[in-house]
Amino acid sequence: MPRLRLPSRLPLDPYILALLATVGFAALLPARGAAAGVAGGAATGAVALLFLLYGARLSTREALDGLRHWRLHLTVLTCTFLVFPALGLAAGALVPDVLTAPLYSGLLFLCLVPSTVQSSIAFTSIARGNVPAAICAGSFSSLAGILLTPLLAAALLGGTAGGFSLDSFLRIVLQLLLPFLAGQVLRPWMGGFLARHKKVLGYVDRGSILLVVYAAFSAGMAAGIWHQVSVPRLGALLLVEAALLTVMLLLTWYGAGRLGFGREDRIAIQFAGSKKSLAAGLPMASVLFGAHAGLAVLPLMLFHQMQLMVCAVLARRRAQDPEAAPAADPEAAADAGAPSRAAGDAGEPQPQLPPHRSGEDATAATVR
């Protein structure tokens, strides 16, 4: 009987550990009183900075050039902003027996955020799929998510995320949309600088998100929301998220096959259409949920790590298919004209993948 071979190292990203450490720090030393006001103001500025940088990084012209493969991109957008939300709404039947109402709100919110770009490219390349299509599909998803995610959250989460009030609309415009548009306007002057300092700005992205997480979880401690969570409820949440990821992985693979897509396109659709962006979701949640953002982003943080671990194994399996073509270099594909780092995915934790025996994925294992 053949033995099941597992990766020697599961992709537990160091940035995920930093996020968990930030949550622990907020639980032990939450910002209170005047310090809470300072942390909240700093987090608001960090969100605006993130979306300014997202807008300055995204080349709209290059993204529009990718529309030639419109069927694939429409399929990914349908999975991200239609199928995922539908499954999230169906999970409402689990309240209150399996999930509490706050945990369900977070689960539904994770179903509304856009897809990742960086890890989708890495996994598509390792699985020997259509890397340029994965880059474009993730870019379109991130760009659409800036508008669709807040609107869907307002429509489906109602009062939990602020509803359609004028105040929530102004927060979205001032903290998300205007900085992003400003980045697009400033791109001709900022684009070269950002390209030359990608590594340093990556730390700025991640540091800003850690600040947002600290402010959100500090506010949650002050509001006492963690008394609503128990270990059995967290276990139930993990099982629900595992089922959600399984359904999406199966649906994107077999559904794309029924739609007539070839193997390489099916791989791009599977990895771009089944994943969610932590980097885009965290700052959006801080704007939409306010003091309740800490508990609202917990399902997203858990789902993100789960998708990295599962997709790492799946990408290796896809690479071993007999019909697999040689792997493409995602950075070369991006330099050839596909959109580079898209809005909402800059600073996204990267999958730490185990080394492959054949060595053909050396350039594809990490997408910078």
Side-chain angles (χ1 to χ4, degrees), residues 92-139:
L94 302 176
V95 180
D97 296 331
V98 178
L99 300 175
T100 63
L103 285 180
Y104 170 67
S105 295
L107 179 69
L108 182 55
F109 174 72
L110 97 81
C111 293
L112 308 181
V113 302
S115 175
T116 63
V117 180
Q118 301 289 5
S119 54
S120 294
I121 297 168
F123 289 132
T124 299
S125 179
I126 291 169
R128 303 177 184 180
N130 189 337
V131 175
I135 297 172
C136 292
S139 300

Side-chain angles (χ1 to χ4, degrees), residues 290-307:
H292 297 280
L295 194 55
V297 300
L298 182 62
L300 177 60
M301 293 174 62
L302 295 175
F303 186 83
H304 188 274
Q305 181 59 31
M306 184 184 298
Q307 71 186 10

Side-chain angles (χ1 to χ4, degrees), residues 15-361:
Y15 190 61
I16 294 292
L17 297 179
L19 286 169
L20 295 176
T22 302
V23 172
F25 183 70
L28 294 174
L29 294 172
R32 300 182 184 276
V38 172
T44 299
V47 170
L49 175 63
L50 282 172
F51 278 82
L52 175 70
L53 295 176
Y54 293 163
R57 285 188 181 100
L58 178 64
S59 173
T60 307
R61 179 185 60 81
E62 291 176 347
L64 292 176
D65 288 343
L67 284 174
R68 288 172 295 183
H69 208 348
W70 63 271
R71 287 184 65 245
L72 184 147
H73 305 317
L74 182 60
T75 301
V76 173
L77 288 175
T78 299
C79 293
T80 303
F81 296 112
L82 186 61
V83 179
F84 252 116
L87 292 175
L89 288 173
L94 302 176
V95 180
D97 296 331
V98 178
L99 300 175
T100 63
L103 285 180
Y104 170 67
S105 295
L107 179 69
L108 182 55
F109 174 72
L110 97 81
C111 293
L112 308 181
V113 302
S115 175
T116 63
V117 180
Q118 301 289 5
S119 54
S120 294
I121 297 168
F123 289 132
T124 299
S125 179
I126 291 169
R128 303 177 184 180
N130 189 337
V131 175
I135 297 172
C136 292
S139 300
F140 298 146
S141 175
S142 295
L143 184 59
I146 292 175
L147 289 175
L148 290 180
T149 297
L151 292 176
L152 287 171
L156 300 181
L157 290 168
T160 305
F164 284 105
S165 68
L166 178 62
D167 180 63
S168 63
F169 175 76
L170 289 177
R171 288 201 309 269
I172 292 167
V173 170
L174 292 176
Q175 295 187 47
L176 304 182
L177 186 57
L178 282 184
F180 176 79
L181 294 177
Q184 284 280 281
V185 172
L186 295 174
R187 177 176 166 77
W189 297 277
M190 297 176 60
F193 176 82
L194 296 178
R196 291 191 301 270
H197 300 86
K198 288 191 296 185
K199 184 174 182 179
V200 174
L201 290 170
Y203 291 121
V204 174
D205 291 332
R206 296 186 177 200
S208 298
I209 292 173
L210 291 177
L211 177 59
V212 170
V213 169
Y214 175 74
F217 278 86
S218 290
M221 290 296 295
I225 60 174
W226 294 109
H227 296 296
Q228 307 172 36
V229 184
S230 64
V231 173
R233 293 288 190 179
L234 286 177
L237 175 63
L238 286 172
L239 291 176
V240 171
E241 291 191 335
L244 176 64
L245 180 59
T246 300
V247 169
M248 289 306 303
L249 287 172
L250 293 174
L251 184 62
T252 50
W253 179 253
Y254 292 105
R258 292 293 298 269
L259 291 174
F261 289 101
R263 178 189 177 277
E264 293 185 356
D265 287 345
R266 291 172 71 188
I267 289 174
I269 290 171
Q270 184 176 53
F271 288 122
S274 64
K275 300 168 80 256
K276 292 295 182 178
S277 172
L278 184 69
L282 288 177
M284 287 183 179
S286 70
V287 176
L288 295 170
F289 290 93
H292 297 280
L295 194 55
V297 300
L298 182 62
L300 177 60
M301 293 174 62
L302 295 175
F303 186 83
H304 188 274
Q305 181 59 31
M306 184 184 298
Q307 71 186 10
L308 289 182
M309 298 175 70
V310 173
C311 289
V313 177
L314 183 60
R316 294 301 188 194
R317 294 287 297 272
R318 293 271 181 259
Q320 296 170 3
D321 292 344
E323 67 271 26
D329 187 344
E331 290 191 14
D335 294 338
S340 57
R341 302 180 70 135
D345 206 43
E348 186 75 51
Q350 297 303 298
Q352 303 296 313
L353 300 176
H356 196 274
R357 289 194 304 273
S358 62
E360 76 274 16
D361 297 321

